[in-house]
Amino acid sequence: MKNMTGKERIANYMYFVVRIATLLSVVMVFFPAFNPGKISGLINKNMSLFTTAIAYDSLVENCVRAFDKGWVSETSFIILFVSCMLLVIGIVGAVAMACMSLGNNKFKKFGNWFGFAGALLQIGGLVGIYVAYTQMAATDRPEKVEPAFATAIWMAYMVLAAIILILLIAIQILLPKVEKSEKFEMLSKYKLFLMFMPFAALTFVFSYLPLYGWRYAFYDYKAGGTLSADNFVGFKWFTMLFESEATRGDIVRVLRNTLAMSGLGIGTSWCAMAFAIFLNEIKSVRVKRFVQTFTTIPNFISWVLVYAIAFSIFSTDGFISNLLVNAGVWESGVNMLMGDDHIWLKMLAWGMWKGIGWSAIIYIAGISGIDQQLYEAATVDGAGRFQKMWHITVPGLTPTYMVLLLMSVAGILSNGMDQYLVFANPTNTHVIEVLDLYVYKLGIEGGSIPLSTMVGMVKSVVSVVLLFGANTISKVVRGESIV
Amino acid sequence: MAKTAQEKLDAKAEKEYYKKHKRAYKLTPGDIVFNILNYTFFIVFTLCCLFPFYYLFINTISSNDLVQKGLINFVPRGINFDNYISLLKADEVGQAFLISFGRTLLGTALMVAASAFVGYVVTKQEMWHRKFWYRFLVITMYFNAGTIPWFLNMSMLGLTNNFMAYIIPGIVAPYNIILVKTYIESIPGELEESAFIDGAGYWKIFREIILPLCKPILATIAIFGAVGHWNSFTDSLILMQGAPELHTLQHKLYTYLNTSSNLSALMNPGASASALEGMMQSALNAKVIKYTISMVSIIPILMVYPFMQRYFEKGIMLGAVKG
């Protein structure tokens, strides 16, 4: 594109603006705060334009009574739904245009038609939303329907659509005529980028967008409510973590459980290495295979199934109770899953049962990578079995162990909630509740969204800091990074 | 496995060597004790890993009366498969099975396809700001907004009480993309270049050259992805609160386990004899039902397990090579 004419150059600058406008409208589509279709109090406040446009059922979920009583006609909602859909389709058209604008002139000119059509659809959709609003505003029960027109947002979409439309017309005029024989072409760097883009969008939506939810931690938010300047509370929830007696007590208890169980896990992480080393001492290949095959299976079943297994063995009418009752040792079955004694150790044991065979695999692979000549030399020097293990195998595996150890230290706060959720019951909840489980219970079951978001946020930040700390240590000590 | 001539020779030489140095290789008493302890430990531990599955299984195929009396501990008696048949006939469990199966199939297929494609695209140096976009992708493995923001985000996107919530978020899996990328980078570049000179585009090269060559790594991520989908349960628990018909099998199992533990907790000595008996009856039937659902959830894993084993080491060792 070195030999561009002046006109093409101007068109390119205009495209820059058009692309930004397109990107802005795409982003706005996914945020509930920028939903021009929220024209009535009957509509769920947490709906984005996107959901409004694709899920009619959730759009009208609160409207059954309103339709029955004739406060508002269902037609207005259908108009709204269709208009939103048009708006979204229009934005999709703009996206198609923006993608094609990365190609040659033929591509650009072709793509512009999508842009025109898209912009017109957007404007049509916006007009439709206004029509739906005027219909709703004409209701005789405004206090129930609560018609409300988001003028600023509506205008924003309108302006963006207008910018796109006007600039595209200008671009279409500026771009030189293309020959019929010219082919659709695009530089490979843009081609590759466009191939990648949908996945970048998915990543953005599912990994980056949740970070935007951290704002809930600074508001006094109740499920179904909205965020506004009125309920902004700043760092209230953060200080509450330390100042409120009850919350502080909870946090201390939960942190103690988390650190204790993670700590036990980290403290026993060498067991997997020992497992591998001792397994390696078994000379019979068949036995070795047998052990390796069947100790790995538990890793592939979920914690729910582990709990099902624990239940079948340790519950009131499980295996152990059956045996002891039939033998006359116990009078009746005992449910060994109830009660809070040694829960940390029990959880460690279950974690080992599930994971040790799997964790050992990486060490087994490591052992086969150790130079056999070292062992032979040691044998010649008269080293015994344990001396060889201690002086050759262990040092050989230490680098791997250190990496895994650092990773697990970085993840000390994130021991997941599955295991503890399934094993929790009213008798042991005070010693089994870890941070992740606490956040889940507080937020999803208890509905205190801001506080649980705050806890989760602090946890995430600490985890990232720990990870980078571990990484730095690894860089300094081993000269290699772990992430 | 057929031994090559060289291997045979080696084995022979080794045998002779042992014969010659028999004394040096004679086990000392210490060795014998160590071996006994070592073998015992590993065999006992392996049995601990294996027995629960066996125990569950024999309890589901034995006569329910004997199971109720707690007499089925080591050998199955009165073998029948009625429990499985009646369980799969029960709508609720059949539905949950279909949901789990569907998400495993669809979710894994899309994840593998996307990982292969993205893995290929990010190996291309000429991509616009490749480094930035690759980091944009990979860095998401190291941070996490937390459960609640994730939940709020999903509900904002309309992905609560919606089957697609199982599928769409899992399509882009950075770790698997890294695995595929590393694998593709190990393929000699000449293959691609010659196809490029012949006028093939990226898409054609990907489909006809890269994809067939990547089969081993794709099989690896497919199997791990499928197991992850089959086992996953928190997403069902958190996102599908309003749609019991979309609960996965694991979630259903969790619910049943909790219900029956409540049932047994209800059996306090204060209750009247007949009511107690009735409850006992249902609690014990619940036990067999629970065991059977557990087995139904475990069996698919055990079925793919032999195929998985081939890929263990590959998966783990590739994971060690990042970046």
Side-chain angles (χ1 to χ4, degrees):
Chain A
M1 301 225 173
K2 291 279 180 286
N3 46 1
M4 273 193 299
T5 64
K7 280 181 181 173
E8 280 177 299
R9 219 171 282 264
I10 297 171
N12 259 3
Y13 286 124
M14 287 178 167
Y15 263 131
F16 195 66
V17 179
V18 170
R19 284 177 207 138
I20 298 224
T22 310
L23 189 65
L24 267 181
S25 17
V26 171
V27 171
M28 276 159 66
V29 166
F30 290 100
F31 284 88
F34 297 107
N35 183 0
K38 224 178 332 188
I39 51 173
S40 155
L42 293 170
I43 299 170
N44 184 342
K45 291 188 179 57
N46 288 318
M47 285 188 94
S48 60
L49 177 61
F50 184 69
T51 28
T52 319
I54 60 162
Y56 183 70
D57 286 345
S58 33
L59 179 63
V60 294
E61 66 185 356
N62 303 328
C63 302
V64 185
R65 242 163 76 83
F67 291 157
D68 280 353
K69 303 248 171 172
W71 297 334
V72 58
S73 137
E74 186 160 7
T75 337
S76 331
F77 270 91
I78 293 175
I79 293 177
L80 174 66
F81 176 63
V82 172
S83 311
C84 287
M85 203 189 259
L86 286 181
L87 184 52
V88 170
I89 294 173
I91 291 172
V92 171
V95 171
M97 175 273 299
C99 291
M100 287 190 224
S101 75
L102 294 169
N104 62 358
N105 283 339
K106 177 138 186 182
F107 238 137
K108 282 179 177 149
K109 286 215 150 186
F110 181 67
N112 285 351
W113 293 111
F114 283 86
F116 290 138
L120 292 176
L121 280 178
Q122 285 185 56
I123 293 171
L126 287 164
V127 171
I129 290 174
Y130 185 71
V131 171
Y133 166 70
T134 47
Q135 285 189 3
M136 271 183 219
T139 175
D140 34 333
R141 295 295 293 279
E143 76 282 3
K144 292 282 184 194
V145 180
E146 298 174 49
F149 193 64
T151 320
I153 295 157
W154 191 86
M155 282 305 286
Y157 275 98
M158 201 50 142
V159 167
L160 288 176
I163 290 178
I164 293 176
L165 189 62
I166 292 166
L167 286 180
L168 281 187
I169 292 172
I171 291 168
Q172 195 76 339
I173 294 166
L174 284 171
L175 288 179
K177 250 204 155 88
V178 285
E179 302 291 325
K180 273 259 157 64
S181 58
E182 204 173 322
K183 278 190 184 145
F184 287 111
E185 266 168 11
M186 193 183 285
L187 290 181
S188 24
K189 61 173 183 176
Y190 294 130
K191 252 191 236 166
L192 286 163
F193 171 64
L194 289 182
M195 288 173 170
F196 180 76
M197 209 179 60
F199 303 98
L202 279 176
T203 311
F204 176 76
V205 168
F206 291 108
S207 298
Y208 289 90
L209 204 51
L211 294 176
Y212 181 62
W214 279 6
R215 71 195 188 285
Y216 286 93
F218 303 100
Y219 289 87
D220 191 2
Y221 173 82
K222 302 232 161 36
T226 46
L227 303 183
S228 66
D230 299 335
N231 54 17
F232 181 80
V233 294
F235 282 90
K236 176 186 154 191
W237 300 111
F238 185 71
T239 48
M240 192 178 153
L241 289 184
F242 305 101
E243 280 171 3
S244 151
E245 195 77 31
T247 326
R248 196 174 56 205
D250 274 349
I251 295 286
V252 167
R253 175 177 59 84
V254 165
L255 266 183
R256 198 187 58 213
N257 294 339
T258 309
L259 293 178
M261 287 193 263
S262 292
L264 282 174
I266 292 170
T268 52
S269 56
W270 54 271
C271 288
M273 189 160 89
F275 187 93
I277 295 175
F278 282 104
L279 183 59
N280 197 48
E281 291 300 315
I282 286 185
K283 293 292 173 242
S284 154
V285 178
R286 222 176 263 165
V287 175
K288 213 174 177 174
R289 260 210 108 73
F290 171 77
V291 172
Q292 225 188 321
T293 305
F294 292 107
T295 52
T296 323
I297 287 186
N299 184 60
F300 292 97
I301 63 171
S302 66
W303 277 110
V304 182
L305 286 168
V306 174
Y307 181 65
I309 280 173
F311 201 91
S312 70
I313 303 287
F314 293 108
S315 73
T316 324
D317 43 15
F319 175 68
I320 301 224
S321 292
N322 282 348
L323 277 192
L324 292 177
V325 170
N326 289 344
V329 181
W330 284 355
E331 280 186 12
S332 64
V334 174
N335 189 349
M336 279 162 275
L337 297 169
M338 288 284 166
D340 59 356
D341 47 327
H342 311 302
I343 281 292
W344 293 346
L345 290 176
K346 283 180 189 164
M347 288 300 111
L348 177 70
W350 281 113
M352 282 215 170
W353 180 80
K354 189 175 191 289
I356 199 166
W358 174 249
S359 324
I361 287 187
I362 192 160
Y363 295 112
I364 291 170
I367 292 174
S368 59
I370 295 174
D371 192 351
Q372 287 304 310
Q373 289 181 349
L374 288 175
Y375 291 104
E376 282 157 24
T379 317
V380 172
D381 289 348
R385 184 201 292 261
F386 291 103
Q387 280 170 317
K388 275 187 274 183
M389 277 189 216
W390 184 248
H391 294 289
I392 301 172
T393 320
V394 172
L397 296 179
T398 309
T400 319
Y401 178 66
M402 290 317 281
V403 173
L404 296 178
L405 184 69
L406 279 173
M407 291 293 268
S408 54
V409 169
I412 195 162
L413 291 182
S414 332
N415 31 19
M417 66 172 227
D418 290 28
Q419 179 183 3
Y420 310 103
L421 178 69
V422 294
F423 277 97
N425 58 50
T427 58
N428 63 17
T429 182
H430 61 286
V431 278
I432 209 173
E433 206 170 43
V434 294
L435 209 49
D436 287 325
L437 184 57
Y438 176 69
V439 169
Y440 165 76
K441 290 218 161 141
L442 197 64
I444 306 280
E445 286 181 2
S448 354
I449 286 173
L451 186 60
S452 53
T453 308
M454 181 54 92
V455 176
M457 192 172 118
V458 173
K459 192 205 114 175
S460 300
V461 171
V462 172
S463 296
V464 169
V465 170
L466 281 176
L467 181 70
F468 281 91
N471 194 34
T472 316
I473 294 176
S474 166
K475 263 187 192 159
V476 170
V477 177
R478 303 169 50 240
E480 241 180 90
S481 62
I482 50 172
V483 294
Chain B
M1 235 187 282
K3 278 184 182 169
T4 64
Q6 183 61 41
E7 271 172 335
K8 269 182 199 160
L9 275 178
D10 284 351
K12 211 174 161 192
E14 206 172 313
K15 245 181 209 166
E16 265 165 28
Y17 181 81
Y18 277 113
K19 234 183 228 167
K20 228 181 196 171
H21 298 75
K22 212 172 181 179
R23 277 195 61 204
Y25 281 87
K26 210 173 174 187
L27 293 174
T28 64
D31 279 336
I32 293 171
V33 172
F34 172 81
N35 276 345
I36 290 174
L37 288 178
N38 207 23
Y39 273 82
T40 318
F41 167 76
F42 278 106
I43 287 173
V44 168
F45 185 76
T46 310
L47 290 180
C48 283
C49 289
L50 207 53
F51 180 73
F53 296 100
Y54 173 73
Y55 178 74
L56 272 181
F57 185 62
I58 58 172
N59 269 283
T60 54
I61 58 165
S62 294
S63 122
N64 286 355
D65 288 341
L66 295 172
V67 174
Q68 280 187 12
K69 287 180 193 143
L71 291 175
I72 305 298
N73 289 319
F74 297 103
V75 263
R77 277 191 278 171
I79 293 176
N80 66 82
F81 291 91
D82 295 349
N83 287 328
Y84 288 91
I85 294 164
S86 55
L87 190 74
L88 288 175
K89 272 188 197 151
D91 284 349
E92 223 177 304
V93 177
Q95 167 84 0
F97 187 86
L98 283 183
I99 293 283
S100 278
F101 192 72
R103 77 170 282 185
T104 304
L105 215 62
L106 191 60
T108 311
L110 287 176
M111 183 275 289
V112 170
S115 301
F117 186 65
V118 178
Y120 169 66
V121 169
V122 293
T123 54
K124 293 275 138 307
Q125 301 296 328
E126 61 267 34
M127 183 180 140
W128 187 64
H129 288 292
R130 186 193 78 99
K131 261 207 175 119
F132 169 78
W133 289 114
Y134 184 59
R135 279 187 194 146
F136 176 84
L137 204 68
V138 167
I139 212 163
T140 57
M141 292 199 303
Y142 301 113
F143 70 86
N144 184 338
T147 317
I148 309 297
W150 169 75
F151 167 72
L152 292 170
N153 186 49
M154 294 294 273
S155 61
M156 183 174 101
L157 296 167
L159 286 177
T160 45
N161 304 330
N162 181 341
F163 180 72
M164 281 299 140
Y166 292 138
I167 312 291
I168 301 174
I171 291 180
V172 179
Y175 186 70
N176 292 340
I177 291 173
I178 294 175
L179 293 186
V180 176
K181 174 183 174 266
T182 319
Y183 193 86
I184 294 177
E185 278 169 349
S186 71
I187 297 173
E190 289 83 18
L191 278 173
E192 235 183 293
E193 268 164 38
S194 61
F196 198 71
I197 290 164
D198 290 344
Y202 290 117
W203 178 241
K204 198 167 177 191
I205 293 178
F206 169 68
R207 227 182 39 219
E208 285 172 14
I209 298 178
I210 301 296
L211 213 47
L213 286 174
C214 281
K215 267 183 197 148
I217 187 69
L218 295 185
T220 310
I221 63 172
I223 275 170
F224 282 85
V227 171
H229 265 291
W230 182 259
N231 278 342
S232 111
F233 131 89
T234 22
D235 51 2
S236 172
L237 184 73
I238 296 175
L239 299 174
M240 307 298 165
Q241 293 173 52
E245 73 279 7
L246 291 177
H247 286 178
T248 59
L249 194 56
Q250 309 278 343
H251 187 181
K252 271 277 175 326
L253 176 61
Y254 174 68
T255 322
Y256 287 134
L257 287 174
N258 272 0
T259 328
S260 35
S261 68
N262 291 343
L263 267 175
S264 39
L266 272 173
M267 287 192 286
N268 49 1
S272 74
S274 60
L276 190 81
E277 239 181 60
M279 250 180 244
M280 192 91 95
Q281 189 77 24
S282 63
L284 284 167
N285 283 338
K287 166 177 149 182
V288 176
I289 293 173
K290 256 161 25 207
Y291 287 2
T292 316
I293 303 182
S294 308
M295 270 328 285
V296 170
S297 318
I298 292 172
I299 287 169
I301 301 269
L302 296 185
M303 271 159 58
V304 296
Y305 186 75
F307 301 100
M308 291 170 72
Q309 250 196 320
R310 290 170 47 200
Y311 298 109
F312 281 174
E313 262 176 40
K314 195 175 278 152
I316 283 199
M317 294 326 277
L318 277 171
V321 193
K322 285 192 205 151

